[in-house]
Amino acid sequence: MKCPFCQHDDIQVLDTRVSEEGDAIKRRRRCVNCDKRFTTWERIELTMPYVVKKNGSRTEFAASKLRASLMLALRKRPVAAESVDKAIASIEEKLLTSGQREVDSGYIGELVMQELQRLDKVAYIRFASVYKNFEDLAEFQDAIEKFERKPR
């Protein structure tokens, strides 16, 4: 590390403390050359995997798109905002802990369906009808029957 004032690279750590939340380390440092003091913070940096779309293109994961999909399926349904936030956090956690640098968009769709199945039956069927590209009533009936057979 270099001093932000004189760019010298001989720095002493004077004090180290863990943040109140426990998610960062604060270090008080002093430059041996210019004797100026400064603080640095160390935090864990997690990166979401890239999303590989059906056409093969890659894009950054966007939590806003995930939220928009869930909210569209849950429109006018009696589901608390807190439940939606928990579902999004659950999906993001699964993506982070997968350890993969890239995930298929289909995998994310399946995660969304799992969460919607837990949250609201109607929203699950709405999402599934678009995600699975239902073309007739029989496909809706199959999805409803599968939903009712699955243990919750």
Side-chain angles (χ1 to χ4, degrees):
M1 176 174 292
K2 292 186 178 188
C3 172
F5 304 104
C6 71
Q7 304 304 311
H8 196 264
D9 62 359
D10 193 5
I11 307 295
Q12 288 182 328
V13 175
L14 302 174
D15 185 36
T16 300
R17 296 179 188 210
V18 177
S19 70
E20 288 180 18
E21 297 83 23
D23 63 348
I25 296 176
K26 176 182 176 181
R27 297 193 196 277
R28 192 72 183 135
R29 299 176 184 263
R30 182 182 73 85
C31 176
V32 173
N33 185 51
C34 69
D35 203 38
K36 293 201 177 185
R37 295 174 184 224
F38 58 98
T39 301
T40 59
W41 289 88
E42 296 176 21
R43 288 187 170 81
I44 295 172
E45 185 177 312
L46 298 172
T47 55
M48 295 299 282
Y50 274 82
V51 178
V52 180
K53 295 183 175 184
K54 289 178 185 176
N55 66 7
S57 67
R58 287 162 175 70
T59 184
E60 289 183 25
F61 173 81
S64 60
K65 289 182 181 179
L66 178 61
R67 178 176 295 281
S69 293
L70 283 166
M71 295 308 292
L72 185 59
L74 290 163
R75 187 169 166 227
K76 295 186 179 182
R77 298 299 304 155
V79 177
E82 183 178 302
S83 297
V84 176
D85 292 341
K86 285 180 182 177
I88 292 169
S90 174
I91 293 169
E92 288 178 336
E93 181 181 346
K94 287 174 185 170
L95 292 173
L96 283 171
T97 58
S98 72
Q100 298 178 18
R101 298 178 84 188
E102 294 180 341
V103 294
D104 190 64
S105 62
Y107 175 65
I108 296 173
E110 293 299 324
L111 293 176
V112 169
M113 286 183 56
Q114 287 174 14
E115 291 299 322
L116 286 173
Q117 184 176 12
R118 188 181 56 76
L119 289 173
D120 187 84
K121 183 161 123 176
V122 172
Y124 169 79
I125 297 299
R126 280 181 183 168
F127 186 85
S129 70
V130 175
Y131 177 68
K132 302 268 186 184
N133 199 21
F134 290 176
E135 294 192 16
D136 61 27
L137 193 56
E139 290 178 282
F140 275 97
Q141 288 174 322
D142 288 344
I144 292 168
E145 288 170 9
K146 284 180 188 175
F147 181 84
E148 289 175 344
R149 281 192 302 247
K150 281 189 178 181
R152 287 177 203 102

